[in-house]
Amino acid sequence: AQSVTQLDSHVSVSEGTPVLLRCNYSSSYSPSLFWYVQHPNKGLQLLLKYTSAATLVKGINGFEAEFKKSETSFHLTKPSAHMSDAAEYFCVVSGGQAGTALIFGKGTTLSVSS
Amino acid sequence: EAGVAQSPRYKIIEKRQSVAFWCNPISGHATLYWYQQILGQGPKLLIQFQNNGVVDDSQLPKDRFSAERLKGVDSTLKIQPAKLEDSAVYLCASSSNREVYRDRTLNTEAFFGQGTRLTVV
């Protein structure tokens, strides 16, 4: 069975400062991991994904995440926050094998102040 | 490439009424998901199809919810009768699952539709 825990329900940063959104996962198989972003009244958009290749994954809008098997973590980072980054972020795990479900975390709300 | 299409975008019904949602996935995507997202929470998987077969419906409240995917393309999700706690956004997503790594076919990302916002009063 797969599960994911997002360690912070709400993160607040100032514009131009680094962003860290934390995610731990549990999976019986080699997992595939994803980060999605959801802006208010908009659909879910994929930020980046890890599917057993490079452990440091770069995504859109300057975000990146590192897969650490020993820590069962997949934290999302960005060197410098922008006002437009304010949104809900979801860490998602799947069993890795095709056909297994994508399981969402509860989400982290990122607020960015000027 | 066209995205995942869902309709309607919004629906308001009274409790005990029935409602149906429709989803048209990205062409060629074998996997189709229905998720329920209650306000302030992460999406919860209701049902997963692989082509026209059900892979996982363990969290679908089968006494009131049903879903089908005829011919392995479009899908409909129905609620009958609706309860107040069914108020949520219903998301449809599809995936190709065609990424291969070291002889394993991996679970690739899902592409989501805009969702249907259901309000039960």
PDB file of all heavy atoms in Angstrom, chain A residues 26-57:
ATOM      1  N   SER A  26       5.348   6.441   1.866  1.00  0.00           N
ATOM      2  CA  SER A  26       5.452   5.032   2.206  1.00  0.00           C
ATOM      3  C   SER A  26       4.971   4.239   1.004  1.00  0.00           C
ATOM      4  O   SER A  26       3.904   4.527   0.455  1.00  0.00           O
ATOM      5  CB  SER A  26       4.592   4.715   3.439  1.00  0.00           C
ATOM      6  OG  SER A  26       4.556   3.320   3.674  1.00  0.00           O
ATOM      7  N   SER A  27       5.799   3.267   0.599  1.00  0.00           N
ATOM      8  CA  SER A  27       5.408   2.479  -0.571  1.00  0.00           C
ATOM      9  C   SER A  27       6.016   1.090  -0.482  1.00  0.00           C
ATOM     10  O   SER A  27       7.155   0.930  -0.068  1.00  0.00           O
ATOM     11  CB  SER A  27       5.883   3.166  -1.859  1.00  0.00           C
ATOM     12  OG  SER A  27       5.566   2.374  -2.986  1.00  0.00           O
ATOM     13  N   SER A  28       5.241   0.123  -0.872  1.00  0.00           N
ATOM     14  CA  SER A  28       5.718  -1.260  -0.885  1.00  0.00           C
ATOM     15  C   SER A  28       6.601  -1.538  -2.089  1.00  0.00           C
ATOM     16  O   SER A  28       7.298  -2.531  -2.123  1.00  0.00           O
ATOM     17  CB  SER A  28       4.525  -2.215  -0.892  1.00  0.00           C
ATOM     18  OG  SER A  28       3.676  -1.960   0.187  1.00  0.00           O
ATOM     19  N   TYR A  29       6.563  -0.690  -3.068  1.00  0.00           N
ATOM     20  CA  TYR A  29       7.309  -0.891  -4.302  1.00  0.00           C
ATOM     21  C   TYR A  29       8.212   0.309  -4.545  1.00  0.00           C
ATOM     22  O   TYR A  29       8.139   1.300  -3.835  1.00  0.00           O
ATOM     23  CB  TYR A  29       6.349  -1.041  -5.487  1.00  0.00           C
ATOM     24  CG  TYR A  29       5.247  -2.049  -5.269  1.00  0.00           C
ATOM     25  CD1 TYR A  29       3.982  -1.648  -4.871  1.00  0.00           C
ATOM     26  CD2 TYR A  29       5.481  -3.416  -5.467  1.00  0.00           C
ATOM     27  CE1 TYR A  29       2.965  -2.563  -4.673  1.00  0.00           C
ATOM     28  CE2 TYR A  29       4.467  -4.328  -5.266  1.00  0.00           C
ATOM     29  CZ  TYR A  29       3.214  -3.897  -4.870  1.00  0.00           C
ATOM     30  OH  TYR A  29       2.212  -4.808  -4.675  1.00  0.00           O
ATOM     31  N   SER A  30       9.040   0.207  -5.561  1.00  0.00           N
ATOM     32  CA  SER A  30       9.795   1.389  -5.974  1.00  0.00           C
ATOM     33  C   SER A  30       8.791   2.415  -6.467  1.00  0.00           C
ATOM     34  O   SER A  30       8.096   2.185  -7.454  1.00  0.00           O
ATOM     35  CB  SER A  30      10.763   1.025  -7.095  1.00  0.00           C
ATOM     36  OG  SER A  30      11.721   0.101  -6.632  1.00  0.00           O
ATOM     37  N   PRO A  31       8.693   3.536  -5.787  1.00  0.00           N
ATOM     38  CA  PRO A  31       7.587   4.453  -6.085  1.00  0.00           C
ATOM     39  C   PRO A  31       7.858   5.377  -7.258  1.00  0.00           C
ATOM     40  O   PRO A  31       9.007   5.632  -7.623  1.00  0.00           O
ATOM     41  CB  PRO A  31       7.471   5.264  -4.807  1.00  0.00           C
ATOM     42  CG  PRO A  31       8.888   5.352  -4.317  1.00  0.00           C
ATOM     43  CD  PRO A  31       9.519   4.030  -4.685  1.00  0.00           C
ATOM     44  N   SER A  32       6.785   5.880  -7.823  1.00  0.00           N
ATOM     45  CA  SER A  32       6.826   7.078  -8.636  1.00  0.00           C
ATOM     46  C   SER A  32       6.276   8.190  -7.746  1.00  0.00           C
ATOM     47  O   SER A  32       5.326   7.971  -6.988  1.00  0.00           O
ATOM     48  CB  SER A  32       5.965   6.935  -9.895  1.00  0.00           C
ATOM     49  OG  SER A  32       6.493   5.963 -10.768  1.00  0.00           O
ATOM     50  N   LEU A  33       6.889   9.353  -7.822  1.00  0.00           N
ATOM     51  CA  LEU A  33       6.472  10.468  -6.967  1.00  0.00           C
ATOM     52  C   LEU A  33       6.265  11.717  -7.812  1.00  0.00           C
ATOM     53  O   LEU A  33       6.986  11.943  -8.798  1.00  0.00           O
ATOM     54  CB  LEU A  33       7.542  10.741  -5.902  1.00  0.00           C
ATOM     55  CG  LEU A  33       7.670   9.652  -4.835  1.00  0.00           C
ATOM     56  CD1 LEU A  33       9.057   9.674  -4.223  1.00  0.00           C
ATOM     57  CD2 LEU A  33       6.604   9.828  -3.762  1.00  0.00           C
ATOM     58  N   PHE A  34       5.308  12.516  -7.404  1.00  0.00           N
ATOM     59  CA  PHE A  34       4.930  13.694  -8.175  1.00  0.00           C
ATOM     60  C   PHE A  34       4.617  14.851  -7.221  1.00  0.00           C
ATOM     61  O   PHE A  34       4.226  14.633  -6.075  1.00  0.00           O
ATOM     62  CB  PHE A  34       3.663  13.433  -9.009  1.00  0.00           C
ATOM     63  CG  PHE A  34       3.672  12.143  -9.798  1.00  0.00           C
ATOM     64  CD1 PHE A  34       3.277  10.950  -9.220  1.00  0.00           C
ATOM     65  CD2 PHE A  34       4.066  12.134 -11.124  1.00  0.00           C
ATOM     66  CE1 PHE A  34       3.274   9.759  -9.937  1.00  0.00           C
ATOM     67  CE2 PHE A  34       4.076  10.951 -11.852  1.00  0.00           C
ATOM     68  CZ  PHE A  34       3.673   9.765 -11.258  1.00  0.00           C
ATOM     69  N   TRP A  35       4.811  16.051  -7.699  1.00  0.00           N
ATOM     70  CA  TRP A  35       4.277  17.239  -7.053  1.00  0.00           C
ATOM     71  C   TRP A  35       3.328  17.921  -8.042  1.00  0.00           C
ATOM     72  O   TRP A  35       3.694  18.159  -9.207  1.00  0.00           O
ATOM     73  CB  TRP A  35       5.377  18.215  -6.657  1.00  0.00           C
ATOM     74  CG  TRP A  35       6.035  17.903  -5.344  1.00  0.00           C
ATOM     75  CD1 TRP A  35       7.203  17.239  -5.140  1.00  0.00           C
ATOM     76  CD2 TRP A  35       5.563  18.280  -4.045  1.00  0.00           C
ATOM     77  NE1 TRP A  35       7.479  17.167  -3.800  1.00  0.00           N
ATOM     78  CE2 TRP A  35       6.504  17.808  -3.097  1.00  0.00           C
ATOM     79  CE3 TRP A  35       4.449  18.987  -3.571  1.00  0.00           C
ATOM     80  CZ2 TRP A  35       6.346  18.001  -1.721  1.00  0.00           C
ATOM     81  CZ3 TRP A  35       4.304  19.185  -2.216  1.00  0.00           C
ATOM     82  CH2 TRP A  35       5.245  18.693  -1.306  1.00  0.00           C
ATOM     83  N   TYR A  36       2.113  18.223  -7.543  1.00  0.00           N
ATOM     84  CA  TYR A  36       1.125  18.965  -8.319  1.00  0.00           C
ATOM     85  C   TYR A  36       0.840  20.291  -7.615  1.00  0.00           C
ATOM     86  O   TYR A  36       0.911  20.382  -6.385  1.00  0.00           O
ATOM     87  CB  TYR A  36      -0.189  18.184  -8.427  1.00  0.00           C
ATOM     88  CG  TYR A  36      -0.192  17.069  -9.459  1.00  0.00           C
ATOM     89  CD1 TYR A  36       0.329  15.822  -9.158  1.00  0.00           C
ATOM     90  CD2 TYR A  36      -0.744  17.277 -10.720  1.00  0.00           C
ATOM     91  CE1 TYR A  36       0.314  14.799 -10.104  1.00  0.00           C
ATOM     92  CE2 TYR A  36      -0.777  16.261 -11.675  1.00  0.00           C
ATOM     93  CZ  TYR A  36      -0.247  15.026 -11.356  1.00  0.00           C
ATOM     94  OH  TYR A  36      -0.273  14.021 -12.295  1.00  0.00           O
ATOM     95  N   VAL A  37       0.458  21.299  -8.402  1.00  0.00           N
ATOM     96  CA  VAL A  37       0.065  22.590  -7.852  1.00  0.00           C
ATOM     97  C   VAL A  37      -1.367  22.883  -8.277  1.00  0.00           C
ATOM     98  O   VAL A  37      -1.786  22.516  -9.382  1.00  0.00           O
ATOM     99  CB  VAL A  37       1.021  23.708  -8.317  1.00  0.00           C
ATOM    100  CG1 VAL A  37       1.009  23.884  -9.823  1.00  0.00           C
ATOM    101  CG2 VAL A  37       0.679  25.030  -7.625  1.00  0.00           C
ATOM    102  N   GLN A  38      -2.100  23.519  -7.361  1.00  0.00           N
ATOM    103  CA  GLN A  38      -3.488  23.875  -7.658  1.00  0.00           C
ATOM    104  C   GLN A  38      -3.712  25.333  -7.259  1.00  0.00           C
ATOM    105  O   GLN A  38      -3.722  25.658  -6.078  1.00  0.00           O
ATOM    106  CB  GLN A  38      -4.449  22.959  -6.906  1.00  0.00           C
ATOM    107  CG  GLN A  38      -5.906  23.122  -7.292  1.00  0.00           C
ATOM    108  CD  GLN A  38      -6.795  22.086  -6.611  1.00  0.00           C
ATOM    109  OE1 GLN A  38      -6.625  21.765  -5.443  1.00  0.00           O
ATOM    110  NE2 GLN A  38      -7.766  21.545  -7.353  1.00  0.00           N
ATOM    111  N   HIS A  39      -3.865  26.186  -8.252  1.00  0.00           N
ATOM    112  CA  HIS A  39      -4.205  27.571  -7.984  1.00  0.00           C
ATOM    113  C   HIS A  39      -5.709  27.692  -7.794  1.00  0.00           C
ATOM    114  O   HIS A  39      -6.470  26.856  -8.308  1.00  0.00           O
ATOM    115  CB  HIS A  39      -3.726  28.478  -9.126  1.00  0.00           C
ATOM    116  CG  HIS A  39      -2.243  28.658  -9.159  1.00  0.00           C
ATOM    117  ND1 HIS A  39      -1.406  27.852  -9.893  1.00  0.00           N
ATOM    118  CD2 HIS A  39      -1.436  29.531  -8.516  1.00  0.00           C
ATOM    119  CE1 HIS A  39      -0.160  28.220  -9.723  1.00  0.00           C
ATOM    120  NE2 HIS A  39      -0.138  29.245  -8.881  1.00  0.00           N
ATOM    121  N   PRO A  40      -6.171  28.705  -7.064  1.00  0.00           N
ATOM    122  CA  PRO A  40      -7.597  28.858  -6.782  1.00  0.00           C
ATOM    123  C   PRO A  40      -8.444  28.796  -8.042  1.00  0.00           C
ATOM    124  O   PRO A  40      -8.141  29.456  -9.034  1.00  0.00           O
ATOM    125  CB  PRO A  40      -7.677  30.231  -6.117  1.00  0.00           C
ATOM    126  CG  PRO A  40      -6.347  30.408  -5.489  1.00  0.00           C
ATOM    127  CD  PRO A  40      -5.367  29.758  -6.425  1.00  0.00           C
ATOM    128  N   ASN A  41      -9.459  27.945  -7.998  1.00  0.00           N
ATOM    129  CA  ASN A  41     -10.412  27.784  -9.098  1.00  0.00           C
ATOM    130  C   ASN A  41      -9.748  27.343 -10.396  1.00  0.00           C
ATOM    131  O   ASN A  41     -10.272  27.607 -11.483  1.00  0.00           O
ATOM    132  CB  ASN A  41     -11.186  29.083  -9.331  1.00  0.00           C
ATOM    133  CG  ASN A  41     -11.995  29.467  -8.101  1.00  0.00           C
ATOM    134  OD1 ASN A  41     -12.634  28.618  -7.493  1.00  0.00           O
ATOM    135  ND2 ASN A  41     -11.927  30.718  -7.712  1.00  0.00           N
ATOM    136  N   LYS A  42      -8.619  26.667 -10.270  1.00  0.00           N
ATOM    137  CA  LYS A  42      -7.962  26.136 -11.472  1.00  0.00           C
ATOM    138  C   LYS A  42      -7.689  24.652 -11.273  1.00  0.00           C
ATOM    139  O   LYS A  42      -7.753  24.114 -10.166  1.00  0.00           O
ATOM    140  CB  LYS A  42      -6.663  26.882 -11.746  1.00  0.00           C
ATOM    141  CG  LYS A  42      -6.872  28.353 -12.053  1.00  0.00           C
ATOM    142  CD  LYS A  42      -5.889  28.836 -13.073  1.00  0.00           C
ATOM    143  CE  LYS A  42      -6.217  30.261 -13.486  1.00  0.00           C
ATOM    144  NZ  LYS A  42      -5.042  30.965 -14.006  1.00  0.00           N
ATOM    145  N   GLY A  43      -7.375  23.992 -12.368  1.00  0.00           N
ATOM    146  CA  GLY A  43      -7.126  22.563 -12.311  1.00  0.00           C
ATOM    147  C   GLY A  43      -5.763  22.230 -11.739  1.00  0.00           C
ATOM    148  O   GLY A  43      -4.921  23.094 -11.540  1.00  0.00           O
ATOM    149  N   LEU A  44      -5.538  20.966 -11.477  1.00  0.00           N
ATOM    150  CA  LEU A  44      -4.260  20.476 -10.973  1.00  0.00           C
ATOM    151  C   LEU A  44      -3.240  20.428 -12.105  1.00  0.00           C
ATOM    152  O   LEU A  44      -3.507  19.893 -13.188  1.00  0.00           O
ATOM    153  CB  LEU A  44      -4.433  19.074 -10.388  1.00  0.00           C
ATOM    154  CG  LEU A  44      -5.097  19.016  -9.028  1.00  0.00           C
ATOM    155  CD1 LEU A  44      -5.702  17.648  -8.781  1.00  0.00           C
ATOM    156  CD2 LEU A  44      -4.086  19.348  -7.949  1.00  0.00           C
ATOM    157  N   GLN A  45      -2.060  20.979 -11.823  1.00  0.00           N
ATOM    158  CA  GLN A  45      -0.996  21.031 -12.821  1.00  0.00           C
ATOM    159  C   GLN A  45       0.236  20.314 -12.282  1.00  0.00           C
ATOM    160  O   GLN A  45       0.634  20.528 -11.131  1.00  0.00           O
ATOM    161  CB  GLN A  45      -0.653  22.495 -13.143  1.00  0.00           C
ATOM    162  CG  GLN A  45       0.439  22.664 -14.190  1.00  0.00           C
ATOM    163  CD  GLN A  45       0.825  24.114 -14.402  1.00  0.00           C
ATOM    164  OE1 GLN A  45       0.563  24.972 -13.569  1.00  0.00           O
ATOM    165  NE2 GLN A  45       1.451  24.393 -15.531  1.00  0.00           N
ATOM    166  N   LEU A  46       0.855  19.492 -13.115  1.00  0.00           N
ATOM    167  CA  LEU A  46       2.054  18.778 -12.703  1.00  0.00           C
ATOM    168  C   LEU A  46       3.237  19.738 -12.634  1.00  0.00           C
ATOM    169  O   LEU A  46       3.513  20.459 -13.587  1.00  0.00           O
ATOM    170  CB  LEU A  46       2.367  17.655 -13.684  1.00  0.00           C
ATOM    171  CG  LEU A  46       3.611  16.835 -13.387  1.00  0.00           C
ATOM    172  CD1 LEU A  46       3.384  15.929 -12.175  1.00  0.00           C
ATOM    173  CD2 LEU A  46       4.023  15.992 -14.593  1.00  0.00           C
ATOM    174  N   LEU A  47       3.952  19.724 -11.473  1.00  0.00           N
ATOM    175  CA  LEU A  47       5.159  20.518 -11.326  1.00  0.00           C
ATOM    176  C   LEU A  47       6.388  19.723 -11.747  1.00  0.00           C
ATOM    177  O   LEU A  47       7.262  20.223 -12.448  1.00  0.00           O
ATOM    178  CB  LEU A  47       5.342  20.924  -9.867  1.00  0.00           C
ATOM    179  CG  LEU A  47       4.677  22.183  -9.357  1.00  0.00           C
ATOM    180  CD1 LEU A  47       5.013  22.362  -7.880  1.00  0.00           C
ATOM    181  CD2 LEU A  47       5.114  23.406 -10.148  1.00  0.00           C
ATOM    182  N   LEU A  48       6.470  18.490 -11.232  1.00  0.00           N
ATOM    183  CA  LEU A  48       7.609  17.633 -11.550  1.00  0.00           C
ATOM    184  C   LEU A  48       7.283  16.201 -11.151  1.00  0.00           C
ATOM    185  O   LEU A  48       6.314  15.952 -10.444  1.00  0.00           O
ATOM    186  CB  LEU A  48       8.883  18.112 -10.835  1.00  0.00           C
ATOM    187  CG  LEU A  48       8.815  18.416  -9.351  1.00  0.00           C
ATOM    188  CD1 LEU A  48       8.818  17.181  -8.489  1.00  0.00           C
ATOM    189  CD2 LEU A  48       9.974  19.333  -8.946  1.00  0.00           C
ATOM    190  N   LYS A  49       8.147  15.269 -11.630  1.00  0.00           N
ATOM    191  CA  LYS A  49       7.907  13.869 -11.318  1.00  0.00           C
ATOM    192  C   LYS A  49       9.234  13.121 -11.161  1.00  0.00           C
ATOM    193  O   LYS A  49      10.244  13.469 -11.778  1.00  0.00           O
ATOM    194  CB  LYS A  49       7.085  13.201 -12.418  1.00  0.00           C
ATOM    195  CG  LYS A  49       7.798  13.124 -13.775  1.00  0.00           C
ATOM    196  CD  LYS A  49       6.938  12.419 -14.808  1.00  0.00           C
ATOM    197  CE  LYS A  49       7.668  12.351 -16.159  1.00  0.00           C
ATOM    198  NZ  LYS A  49       6.857  11.669 -17.188  1.00  0.00           N
ATOM    199  N   TYR A  50       9.210  12.098 -10.328  1.00  0.00           N
ATOM    200  CA  TYR A  50      10.325  11.165 -10.180  1.00  0.00           C
ATOM    201  C   TYR A  50       9.816   9.778 -10.536  1.00  0.00           C
ATOM    202  O   TYR A  50       8.837   9.300  -9.967  1.00  0.00           O
ATOM    203  CB  TYR A  50      10.849  11.158  -8.734  1.00  0.00           C
ATOM    204  CG  TYR A  50      11.742   9.975  -8.469  1.00  0.00           C
ATOM    205  CD1 TYR A  50      13.059   9.962  -8.923  1.00  0.00           C
ATOM    206  CD2 TYR A  50      11.254   8.849  -7.812  1.00  0.00           C
ATOM    207  CE1 TYR A  50      13.868   8.864  -8.709  1.00  0.00           C
ATOM    208  CE2 TYR A  50      12.063   7.747  -7.598  1.00  0.00           C
ATOM    209  CZ  TYR A  50      13.361   7.756  -8.056  1.00  0.00           C
ATOM    210  OH  TYR A  50      14.145   6.663  -7.849  1.00  0.00           O
ATOM    211  N   THR A  51      10.514   9.139 -11.522  1.00  0.00           N
ATOM    212  CA  THR A  51      10.089   7.799 -11.929  1.00  0.00           C
ATOM    213  C   THR A  51      11.303   6.890 -12.115  1.00  0.00           C
ATOM    214  O   THR A  51      11.432   6.215 -13.119  1.00  0.00           O
ATOM    215  CB  THR A  51       9.270   7.845 -13.227  1.00  0.00           C
ATOM    216  OG1 THR A  51      10.024   8.547 -14.223  1.00  0.00           O
ATOM    217  CG2 THR A  51       7.932   8.510 -13.029  1.00  0.00           C
ATOM    218  N   SER A  52      12.184   6.832 -11.134  1.00  0.00           N
ATOM    219  CA  SER A  52      13.312   5.899 -11.071  1.00  0.00           C
ATOM    220  C   SER A  52      14.527   6.282 -11.898  1.00  0.00           C
ATOM    221  O   SER A  52      15.397   5.470 -12.078  1.00  0.00           O
ATOM    222  CB  SER A  52      12.879   4.488 -11.495  1.00  0.00           C
ATOM    223  OG  SER A  52      11.874   4.014 -10.662  1.00  0.00           O
ATOM    224  N   ALA A  53      14.601   7.491 -12.372  1.00  0.00           N
ATOM    225  CA  ALA A  53      15.808   7.917 -13.074  1.00  0.00           C
ATOM    226  C   ALA A  53      16.633   8.795 -12.115  1.00  0.00           C
ATOM    227  O   ALA A  53      16.945   8.378 -11.027  1.00  0.00           O
ATOM    228  CB  ALA A  53      15.452   8.642 -14.362  1.00  0.00           C
ATOM    229  N   ALA A  54      16.965  10.010 -12.495  1.00  0.00           N
ATOM    230  CA  ALA A  54      17.764  10.893 -11.653  1.00  0.00           C
ATOM    231  C   ALA A  54      17.020  11.228 -10.370  1.00  0.00           C
ATOM    232  O   ALA A  54      15.821  11.478 -10.376  1.00  0.00           O
ATOM    233  CB  ALA A  54      18.086  12.177 -12.409  1.00  0.00           C
ATOM    234  N   THR A  55      17.746  11.224  -9.246  1.00  0.00           N
ATOM    235  CA  THR A  55      17.096  11.480  -7.955  1.00  0.00           C
ATOM    236  C   THR A  55      16.795  12.955  -7.744  1.00  0.00           C
ATOM    237  O   THR A  55      15.901  13.293  -6.963  1.00  0.00           O
ATOM    238  CB  THR A  55      17.962  10.972  -6.804  1.00  0.00           C
ATOM    239  OG1 THR A  55      19.247  11.581  -6.887  1.00  0.00           O
ATOM    240  CG2 THR A  55      18.113   9.459  -6.864  1.00  0.00           C
ATOM    241  N   LEU A  56      17.537  13.855  -8.396  1.00  0.00           N
ATOM    242  CA  LEU A  56      17.236  15.282  -8.328  1.00  0.00           C
ATOM    243  C   LEU A  56      16.427  15.641  -9.569  1.00  0.00           C
ATOM    244  O   LEU A  56      16.906  15.523 -10.686  1.00  0.00           O
ATOM    245  CB  LEU A  56      18.524  16.106  -8.257  1.00  0.00           C
ATOM    246  CG  LEU A  56      18.323  17.621  -8.136  1.00  0.00           C
ATOM    247  CD1 LEU A  56      17.566  17.968  -6.870  1.00  0.00           C
ATOM    248  CD2 LEU A  56      19.670  18.331  -8.179  1.00  0.00           C
ATOM    249  N   VAL A  57      15.225  16.071  -9.332  1.00  0.00           N
ATOM    250  CA  VAL A  57      14.298  16.307 -10.431  1.00  0.00           C
ATOM    251  C   VAL A  57      13.997  17.796 -10.544  1.00  0.00           C
ATOM    252  O   VAL A  57      13.675  18.446  -9.544  1.00  0.00           O
ATOM    253  CB  VAL A  57      12.976  15.544 -10.191  1.00  0.00           C
ATOM    254  CG1 VAL A  57      12.015  15.784 -11.342  1.00  0.00           C
ATOM    255  CG2 VAL A  57      13.240  14.053 -10.021  1.00  0.00           C
TER     256      VAL A  57
END
